[in-house]
Amino acid sequence: VSVYPGSAMILRRHLRPADRLVLSELQPGEGDALSCLFPKHPYHRRVYLHTPADGYRVWKAHVPPLERRGLILCDPPYESDTEFESVIKAYMAHVKRFQTGTVVIWYPIKSGRDTSEFVERMKQVGVSKLLACEVLLRDPEIEPNRLNGSGLLILNPPYLLKDDLDSYAKWLAGALGDGKKWGARGRCWWVTADVHQKWEGVRDVEDKLEGGEEEEWVQDGSGVKT
C-alpha cells in the first residue's frame, strides 16, 4: 500500500445523498491537512470540520443528531494514561442521549489486562448490544508496552456483522502476524447478549441435533460455549 486516504476520506466517499459527515481533529497540523481535503466548496457542503477541537466535546454536541440515526467513529490516539477513562465517560454520555445510534470505538492492545478491564467496564454500562472484535499479532504478556494488536467495540452493530468481522479478523491475523514466533489470532464476540445471538444459539443446537451429536453445552451471555 503506497497511499492510504485515511478514515475521513473513506467515509466521505461512502456518503449517500442524504448523509452528512462531521469530523474533528485536535492537532493543528492534521487539522490543516483535513481542511485541504475538505475545502469550503459546494462539493463538500455535507462535510463539517471542527479543528482544532476536542473530539469528545464535538461528539457530545452532535448527539442526538437531527436525523435520529447515525454512526460515530471514535479512534483516539491513546497517548494519555487517562484516555481509556475519557472514552468510557464519553460512551456513557452518548448512551444516555442516543442509545439507538451505532458507535465504533477503536482501541490498542498492549497489555492484555488493561484491555480486558476496559472491555469489562464498557460492558457494565448496561447496553443490550455490544460487539467486540480483536486482532492480536503478538502475545501482549511478553511485551506489554508494545502495540500488539487492535480492537473494536461496536454498539448496535448491523445484523450479521459479527460473522463478517470474525472472518476478516482471522484473515488479518494470518496475513499480518508472525506465526513462527506466536500464533496470531483474530476473534469477534458478543460482550453483551443480543437477540441475534440467542437465535444463533438456537440454530447451533438444531444443527447439533440434526448431526446426531449428543454432547451437551450451554451458551452464556458472553457468547462462550461450554
Side-chain angles (χ1 to χ4, degrees), residues 17-163:
D19 293 338
R20 60 191 177 94
L21 176 62
V22 179
L23 303 173
S24 173
E25 176 55 55
L26 181 61
Q27 301 300 326
E30 286 78 356
D32 291 342
L34 278 176
S35 298
C36 293
L37 280 176
F38 304 107
K40 295 182 179 179
H41 185 277
Y43 179 75
H44 301 284
R45 61 183 179 272
R46 293 182 293 145
V47 179
Y48 301 84
L49 177 60
H50 299 268
T51 182
D54 184 333
Y56 297 115
R57 293 188 177 186
V58 174
W59 180 358
K60 183 177 180 180
H62 283 272
V63 295
L66 297 175
E67 299 86 351
R68 308 302 298 180
R69 57 185 178 83
L71 167 66
I72 292 89
L73 172 61
C74 177
D75 60 340
Y78 293 93
E79 296 173 348
S80 169
D81 293 337
T82 62
E83 196 78 70
F84 280 109
E85 189 67 30
S86 298
V87 171
I88 293 171
K89 291 180 178 179
Y91 178 72
M92 293 176 64
H94 169 92
V95 169
K96 292 179 180 179
R97 298 163 62 92
F98 189 37
Q99 190 166 358
T100 59
T102 299
V103 179
V104 179
I105 299 174
W106 175 82
Y107 59 92
I109 301 176
K110 294 182 178 180
S111 167
R113 179 178 302 175
D114 292 343
T115 301
S116 299
E117 291 177 355
F118 171 63
V119 174
E120 180 61 26
R121 290 193 61 189
M122 295 291 278
K123 176 183 178 180
Q124 297 304 319
V125 175
V127 299
S128 60
K129 291 184 287 187
L130 185 62
L131 184 67
C133 187
E134 292 185 351
V135 175
L136 270 176
L137 304 182
R138 290 170 292 273
D139 186 348
E141 303 306 324
I142 296 178
E143 296 183 78
N145 295 321
R146 185 178 182 182
L147 182 60
N148 295 300
S150 295
L152 292 176
L153 280 175
I154 308 173
L155 171 65
N156 296 324
Y159 181 52
L160 296 181
L161 179 64
K162 176 183 178 295
D163 295 338

